[in-house]
Amino acid sequence: MELMYKSTRSNETATASQAILKGLASDGGLFVPVTLPKLSVNIDELKGMSYKEVAYIVMKEFLTDFTEEELKNCIDKAYDEKFDTEEIAPIVKADGAYYLELFHGATIAFKDMALSILPHLLTTSAKKNNVKNEIVILTATSGDTGKAALAGFADVENTRIVVFYPKGGVSPIQEKQMVTQKGANTHVVGIKGNFDQAQSGVKAIFGNKELEKELDAAGFQFSSANSINIGRLVPQVVYYVYSYAKLLAEGEIENGEKINVVVPTGNFGNILAAYYAKNMGLPIDKLICASNDNKVLYDFFETGSYDKNRDFILTTSPSMDILISSNLERLIYKIAGCDDVKNKELMTALTTEGKYEITADMKAELKDFYGNYATESETADVIKSIYEDTGYVIDTHTAVAAKVYKKYKEATGDTTKSVIASTASPFKFTRSVMNAIDAKYDAMGDFQLVDELSKIGNVKVPKAIEEIRTAPVLHNTVVEVDEMTDAVKKFLGL
Ligand SMILES: *Cc1c(COP(=O)(O)O)cnc(C)c1O
């Protein structure tokens, strides 16, 4: 039976491939599956499955208008040698938790997990729907999405990609990764503003009907690679199921035993995928949502009030420096009883007043979630202590999750085995990581730090880092926030 998608803000519906093509619904809402599917296998059958096998088992339930051949083809093209380990997402047991390493892809951060398959889902969707226009991917990034999307789409036929990032709001290595991107169809633009402004700017471009007509006449159409695209979300469900399969195979858990997952959260995409995995029947107990000093989600889980009216804080975990967690809308819609009118009301309040409040009934639906946050010094301290206790070096985002997990255990006494989503390689945030371990490192240059980290952590420097040591800068455009539309038009020759 075909699984349909509908907007969180109206009755607009789409098939999976149409939803992937559109990214955002016409009414500004996000596409959600009309019902959340269940796993078609018993939990014990997962034991020992490969990443690709799990990917197929999970994704076929969501993308029901893809043929088996089409979907397996996308999976094969995505999860190949671009990853530096056949396991794709290995698990490291350290410090009383299981670190699910989601950073073994082309750009050494978890965005690769979905962005290595999205271009293939998208071009397959275009073919299925007889789309003749060239697809223009427009993305706002707080650092990791941008590079992962660029790497995923570079030189993919019939696509172009424009990435906006906040100039000065991403790490030096992240910026270097982006501005050295090869591929004639890639464009990278710094904006004089923060991530939320970049994201709002992209949303405005997507909502610009006149521009849409102009593009269509010139043979282009926009699509999104941001985590609002269900083509991003669905591949992220896979690794939670896979982690369970691996823990079973390794005898770490019993069949059916519940686990917690801890997710360092920004846009709420990764943790929403874990929630979808739980809804599919994966034995997950608590979903632990970890924030940095931009703790809008922690406050939301505490009070039921989402309020973005606050200072935006630049932290050492920049990919979580977010005040509007776009994917939360999918959860809000669900806990509102899948009521698009109610959800739209709240989202309108968020746009006009910067805040909204959920009802007590809705709040009761959040009982599976636990939210907390880690300050900058707590984050640095936990990197240092885990390194000193175990020799394992984690990045700043993962460290936020590690700290919040400790707070959770202290607050609840819960000893349920827990998987921590390890979302970036420490090599991506080398300076912050090394400074956390010892202040003496601050005097060193970026690449010297990379070598030092390799030494103390006893891990090889990832290929993604080796490559940018000497790569030339190919993109140097910087614009004001209100010049974003013009920048896009210029790249398309309009
Ligand atoms: C994007 C990102 C996050 C946040 O994930 P969301 O899905 O946006 O919540 C956390 N850590 C890293 C390293 C990221 O790149």
Side-chain angles (χ1 to χ4, degrees):
M1 215 181 64
E2 182 137 79
L3 177 65
M4 292 300 288
Y5 287 76
K6 77 173 285 290
S7 166
T8 50
R9 298 190 193 181
S10 75
N11 285 326
E12 183 177 336
T13 58
T15 61
S17 63
Q18 288 165 348
I20 289 170
L21 274 173
K22 282 190 140 179
L24 210 59
S26 322
D27 53 40
L30 311 191
F31 284 113
V32 285
V34 168
T35 52
L36 282 171
K38 298 283 174 207
L39 283 170
S40 60
V41 295
N42 292 324
I43 296 301
D44 62 325
E45 291 173 72
L46 291 173
K47 193 168 165 176
M49 274 193 192
S50 73
Y51 195 87
K52 286 183 184 181
E53 285 168 336
V54 175
Y56 180 68
I57 292 288
V58 170
M59 291 176 67
K60 77 181 171 76
E61 300 301 330
F62 284 95
L63 309 182
T64 54
D65 66 335
F66 282 60
T67 65
E68 177 170 349
E69 193 193 345
E70 284 169 338
L71 186 52
K72 287 191 167 165
N73 198 12
C74 291
I75 292 169
D76 282 340
K77 282 182 180 160
Y79 304 110
D80 59 9
E81 313 74 62
K82 288 192 288 295
F83 287 79
D84 67 11
T85 161
E86 243 173 76
E87 290 178 282
I88 306 295
I91 294 178
V92 172
K93 191 174 178 180
D95 192 44
Y98 299 96
Y99 286 83
L100 176 62
E101 293 189 347
L102 303 173
F103 55 75
H104 289 270
T107 75
I108 60 174
F110 102 94
K111 304 288 193 297
D112 290 327
M113 302 304 294
L115 281 166
S116 51
I117 194 167
L118 181 71
H120 306 295
L121 296 176
L122 200 54
T123 47
T124 305
S125 296
K127 268 188 218 135
K128 297 177 77 65
N129 289 279
N130 295 313
V131 170
K132 300 283 186 294
N133 282 338
E134 196 168 329
I135 290 173
V136 181
I137 298 294
L138 219 53
T139 292
T141 185
S142 54
D144 287 331
T145 310
K147 178 61 188 187
L150 288 162
F153 281 94
D155 294 324
V156 172
E157 241 181 273
N158 281 321
T159 68
R160 297 195 193 191
I161 173 162
V162 187
V163 169
F164 292 98
Y165 73 96
K167 183 81 189 164
V170 303
S171 84
I173 289 189
Q174 285 178 317
E175 182 169 34
K176 185 95 197 272
Q177 281 188 307
M178 287 193 279
V179 298
T180 57
Q181 178 64 47
K182 291 184 210 138
N185 65 335
T186 65
H187 304 283
V188 180
V189 185
I191 66 149
K192 296 178 190 164
N194 63 34
F195 170 70
D196 283 322
Q197 289 171 303
Q199 180 155 268
S200 301
V202 165
K203 272 199 170 181
I205 296 174
F206 276 128
N208 186 335
K209 295 276 181 260
E210 222 145 276
L211 184 63
E212 187 181 322
K213 274 188 216 138
E214 215 178 313
L215 249 72
D216 190 49
F220 296 112
Q221 73 185 55
F222 285 133
S223 190
S224 151
N226 268 15
S227 63
I228 49 174
N229 193 310
I230 61 123
R232 283 279 301 279
L233 194 58
V234 169
Q236 293 181 172
V237 180
V238 172
Y239 46 75
Y240 291 106
V241 179
Y242 176 69
S243 71
Y244 199 91
K246 288 206 70 156
L247 290 176
L248 265 183
E250 288 163 14
E252 295 289 343
I253 53 172
E254 309 268 332
N255 181 18
E257 182 175 344
K258 284 194 174 184
I259 58 169
N260 295 328
V261 299
V262 191
V263 187
T265 298
N267 232 340
F268 211 75
N270 201 1
I271 194 165
L272 186 75
Y275 178 69
Y276 279 11
K278 179 178 165 94
N279 278 271
M280 287 191 95
L282 194 71
I284 293 177
D285 190 20
K286 282 283 185 279
L287 299 143
I288 300 171
C289 177
S291 301
N292 63 22
D293 275 326
N294 295 293
K295 59 183 181 62
V296 77
L297 286 166
Y298 164 70
D299 293 340
F300 170 69
F301 285 119
E302 284 293 292
T303 65
S305 162
Y306 192 96
D307 187 351
K308 75 164 182 100
N309 301 308
R310 61 182 73 209
D311 288 336
F312 179 85
I313 302 168
L314 287 177
T315 72
T316 52
S317 46
S319 300
M320 297 158 66
D321 288 346
I322 284 170
L323 294 183
I324 302 176
S325 300
S326 302
N327 265 300
L328 183 65
E329 178 169 346
R330 288 186 162 108
L331 181 64
I332 297 295
Y333 168 81
K334 182 142 194 307
I335 63 174
C338 300
D339 181 341
D340 49 59
V341 176
K342 176 73 189 163
N343 174 66
K344 188 177 172 180
E345 218 172 83
L346 297 176
M347 295 307 135
T348 305
L350 182 62
T351 309
T352 55
E353 292 148 49
K355 61 179 178 188
Y356 61 80
E357 194 146 345
I358 60 170
T359 63
D361 285 349
M362 287 170 74
K363 191 158 185 290
E365 295 285 314
L366 295 176
K367 62 180 188 315
D368 295 336
F369 287 87
Y370 168 89
N372 213 323
Y373 70 104
T375 64
E376 286 292 274
S377 63
E378 286 173 335
T379 303
D381 287 349
V382 86
I383 291 173
K384 186 179 168 78
S385 69
I386 291 178
Y387 168 66
E388 287 178 351
D389 295 348
T390 70
Y392 187 52
V393 184
I394 57 176
D395 98 292
T396 45
H397 303 74
T398 308
V400 168
K403 179 65 196 182
V404 165
Y405 179 50
K406 287 179 192 294
K407 288 186 177 181
Y408 169 78
K409 277 196 295 189
E410 245 173 56
T412 62
D414 183 7
T415 55
T416 302
K417 289 168 189 152
S418 298
V419 167
I420 296 179
S422 183
T423 51
S425 159
F427 285 96
K428 198 152 191 173
F429 301 93
T430 323
R431 182 165 300 278
S432 303
V433 168
M434 295 301 278
N435 277 351
I437 291 172
D438 194 326
K440 75 176 183 199
Y441 291 118
D442 205 29
M444 292 186 187
D446 283 332
F447 285 105
Q448 200 184 351
L449 281 175
V450 162
D451 293 330
E452 203 61 27
L453 170 55
S454 171
K455 227 186 289 165
I456 68 156
N458 200 18
V459 269
K460 234 178 92 202
V461 177
K463 206 170 73 195
I465 297 293
E466 285 298 354
E467 277 170 4
I468 59 164
R469 274 186 204 257
T470 52
V473 171
L474 302 173
H475 307 268
N476 52 18
T477 309
V478 179
V479 303
E480 300 287 345
V481 173
D482 62 5
E483 295 170 342
M484 289 171 62
T485 308
D486 290 340
V488 172
K489 286 169 87 167
K490 199 173 135 213
F491 287 135
L492 301 179
L494 298 179

